[in-house]
Amino acid sequence: MAQTPQMPRMHLMQMLIHSASTHTLMSWADPADGQLQGLQDFAYWQNLARTLERGCFDGVFFADSPATHAVYQGSVEPSVRYGASWPNHDPMPLVAVMAAATRHLGIGVTLSTTGTTPYLATRRLTTLNHLSGGRVGWNIVTGFSHAEHLANGMDRQMPHDERYDYADEFMAICYQLWDSVPVDAILADKAGGRFADPARIRPVDFKGKYLSCKAVGPVLPSPHGRPMLFQAGSSGRGMQFALEHAEVVFAIQPHLAGMRRSMTQLKDAAASHGRGRDPKMLFGLQPIVRSTEAEARRRAEELAERIPLDAILARMCGVFGMDLAGVDPDRPLAEMETQASRGLLAATTTGADGKSVTLRDAAAKWALSVAIPQLIGTPEQVADEMERIWRETGCYGFNLSPTTNPDSVDDFVDHVVPLLQRRGIFRSAYEGRNFRENLMA
């Protein structure tokens, strides 16, 4: 008897940042928030991981701002004063911390091609993937922040498209390092005293326009293969890079129209690129869940009221790569050009009605969620809207942004996940043991 095809299911990731807040500015000042204290406590992150595994999430997605934004007013002072994308703690250790507390949860981590080398990147990521049983993912970014370049001793920030040319070369070295030591090269022959067969090792000897590497792959070959590869490029060049390298694409689009447009663009680009299957797209969402819609809206207002405009602009200017101090707040953002994050700027500049968004409007959206759309309401309302967006866009699932932690994660897992499971559109148990098996199920 032929098997009935499994009904498509929504996939969920949880965004986090190893800083005082994730996307909701000033969340560290909220009485419900525990993340500031969590910066010095392994248990905080392990408890979050266990909650997400209890909720059958595919994984955690660690976004990262590796250097402090200093574009707004030409200074780091606003960023530091309000804890806006500062402090910049390294997310990499949390991969090990959270993996050690769970059995199924994947942990994706952002690592920029700026400020590291392909050798070090593959060494760190593959070591963690080995230890975790194949539960590590890499969100490949090209370093849009000028502050990141300066912090790493680079006087010049590469133009936008050239950064992706550099990253293509970076990845070419990573692939060679991953393939350098095949599984059959490892003998582990205790009786004969031979650990590996040098004849089967493929040393890397790469010299390109930007990068070079001469080495043997530093890590044992993993039975689970390479780490899962993610990419968040949504500009034209970024999308081309994503199609070349990523298994899953993450995008921020502030409204349903933008999500539909992004899905169409990616599918068209995939067809032109010759990719056999449509890539899997996750969109960002920020749920704010309460027992009534009125309570949820009051909560959103309460969070927004404490955020100064300078805090918002410190983060926006750093991401957009332009100082908006003194700019008319009613000026359309569509008039601006950037060499920084073109994808986020493009996502922010046009409203659902197709009209240009002003700086004032954009700042209001960026305060809590960095232009990620919010779902504000009861568990039923949030589940309804998630299902509607998922079905209408045809996306693979969502990458959820918290407000305060850990309560916003607890609320979603305890009250929204059971509704999605009862509808049969989200798993009730993991399909596999490693990140790829679950996320691709």
Side-chain angles (χ1 to χ4, degrees):
M1 181 183 294
Q3 289 186 330
T4 303
Q6 181 177 314
M7 176 181 175
R9 287 181 176 168
M10 181 186 298
H11 288 264
L12 294 178
M13 300 275 290
Q14 177 65 53
M15 270 190 288
L16 297 170
I17 296 178
H18 196 189
S19 187
S21 59
T22 294
H23 289 137
T24 299
L25 289 166
M26 304 294 293
S27 59
W28 56 266
D30 192 278
D33 193 75
Q35 188 148 308
L36 183 59
Q37 289 71 31
L39 295 182
Q40 52 189 336
D41 186 3
F42 282 167
Y44 169 82
W45 301 99
Q46 291 185 321
N47 288 335
L48 271 174
R50 292 187 188 102
T51 298
L52 292 166
E53 186 163 77
R54 176 166 57 83
C56 292
F57 272 58
D58 290 278
V60 173
F61 184 99
F62 273 107
D64 190 28
S65 293
T68 308
H69 296 314
V71 176
Y72 180 58
Q73 299 177 351
S75 172
V76 298
E77 288 187 11
S79 297
V80 172
R81 181 179 300 116
Y82 300 113
S85 301
W86 183 84
N88 315 110
H89 286 207
D90 187 351
M92 198 68 70
L94 296 183
V95 178
V97 168
M98 298 176 91
T102 53
R103 294 181 59 207
H104 302 278
L105 189 73
I107 302 100
V109 61
T110 297
L111 180 64
S112 175
T113 57
T114 296
T116 189
T117 66
Y119 183 86
L120 291 176
T122 54
R123 183 171 182 251
R124 295 167 72 189
L125 290 161
T126 312
T127 298
L128 289 167
N129 200 43
H130 214 80
L131 285 166
S132 65
R135 290 191 289 129
V136 170
W138 176 16
N139 177 39
I140 312 160
V141 297
T142 62
F144 68 82
S145 167
H146 189 220
E148 183 180 348
H149 289 73
L150 292 175
N152 285 291
M154 304 172 192
D155 294 333
R156 183 182 79 94
Q157 182 180 21
M158 283 185 184
H160 179 274
D161 287 5
E162 189 180 359
R163 290 202 304 273
Y164 284 104
D165 296 339
Y166 177 96
D168 276 329
E169 205 167 278
F170 192 106
M171 294 307 299
I173 296 174
C174 290
Y175 296 137
Q176 289 190 25
L177 288 166
W178 278 321
D179 294 341
S180 174
V181 184
V183 173
D184 63 4
I186 306 302
L187 306 177
D189 178 2
K190 294 184 179 182
R194 290 200 306 157
F195 183 78
D197 182 355
R200 299 179 188 179
I201 303 292
R202 298 188 286 269
V204 176
D205 190 357
F206 182 100
K207 189 165 184 62
K209 178 180 177 181
Y210 303 102
L211 295 163
S212 62
C213 177
K214 192 166 185 175
V216 172
V219 179
L220 288 173
S222 170
H224 309 287
R226 300 167 180 171
M228 280 283 300
L229 299 181
F230 296 82
Q231 218 279 322
S234 52
S235 65
R237 183 63 181 91
M239 198 170 286
Q240 180 185 340
F241 181 86
L243 289 168
E244 187 68 33
H245 303 289
E247 298 169 77
V248 177
V249 179
F250 166 57
I252 292 177
Q253 289 292 338
H255 42 69
L256 185 61
M259 293 181 193
R260 288 197 189 107
R261 184 168 56 250
S262 186
M263 286 293 296
T264 299
Q265 289 171 343
L266 192 62
K267 287 180 179 180
D268 290 347
S272 300
H273 190 267
R275 184 156 170 164
R277 294 184 301 166
D278 288 339
K280 302 181 187 306
M281 175 78 85
L282 300 175
F283 287 115
L285 291 178
Q286 186 180 68
I288 300 180
V289 183
R290 289 292 185 272
S291 57
T292 69
E293 182 180 352
E295 289 175 358
R297 295 201 174 278
R298 279 198 298 273
R299 178 56 173 161
E301 291 168 2
E302 177 184 54
L303 290 167
E305 283 171 355
R306 68 163 57 92
I307 304 173
L309 180 60
D310 277 356
I312 304 169
L313 292 177
R315 183 168 62 186
M316 278 185 67
C317 292
V319 174
F320 291 167
M322 58 185 72
D323 189 358
L324 302 175
V327 171
D328 179 355
D330 296 310
R331 174 185 172 187
L333 281 172
E335 297 176 9
M336 303 178 182
E337 293 289 338
T338 183
Q339 291 298 328
S341 180
R342 287 185 182 172
L344 264 177
L345 179 61
T348 303
T349 54
T350 306
D353 58 3
K355 295 180 180 179
S356 294
V357 171
T358 65
L359 177 58
R360 189 189 307 279
D361 293 335
K365 293 182 181 296
W366 271 65
L368 296 183
S369 65
V370 192
I372 292 170
Q374 295 173 310
L375 306 182
I376 303 173
T378 65
E380 291 79 8
Q381 288 173 314
V382 169
D384 287 345
E385 189 65 5
M386 289 181 70
E387 182 174 3
R388 183 177 77 88
I389 294 170
W390 178 62
R391 293 190 185 281
E392 289 192 19
T393 63
C395 70
Y396 199 58
F398 303 104
N399 205 353
L400 303 184
S401 173
T403 51
T404 51
N405 267 338
D407 64 307
S408 63
V409 174
D410 292 338
D411 289 341
F412 186 89
V413 167
D414 290 340
H415 302 296
V416 180
V417 165
L419 298 178
L420 299 174
Q421 290 170 330
R422 284 201 288 271
R423 298 177 190 199
I425 60 172
F426 186 64
R427 70 164 67 89
S428 296
Y430 286 100
E431 297 85 356
R433 286 293 301 272
N434 65 49
F435 204 174
R436 189 171 281 106
E437 288 174 353
N438 289 316
L439 190 53
M440 296 303 188

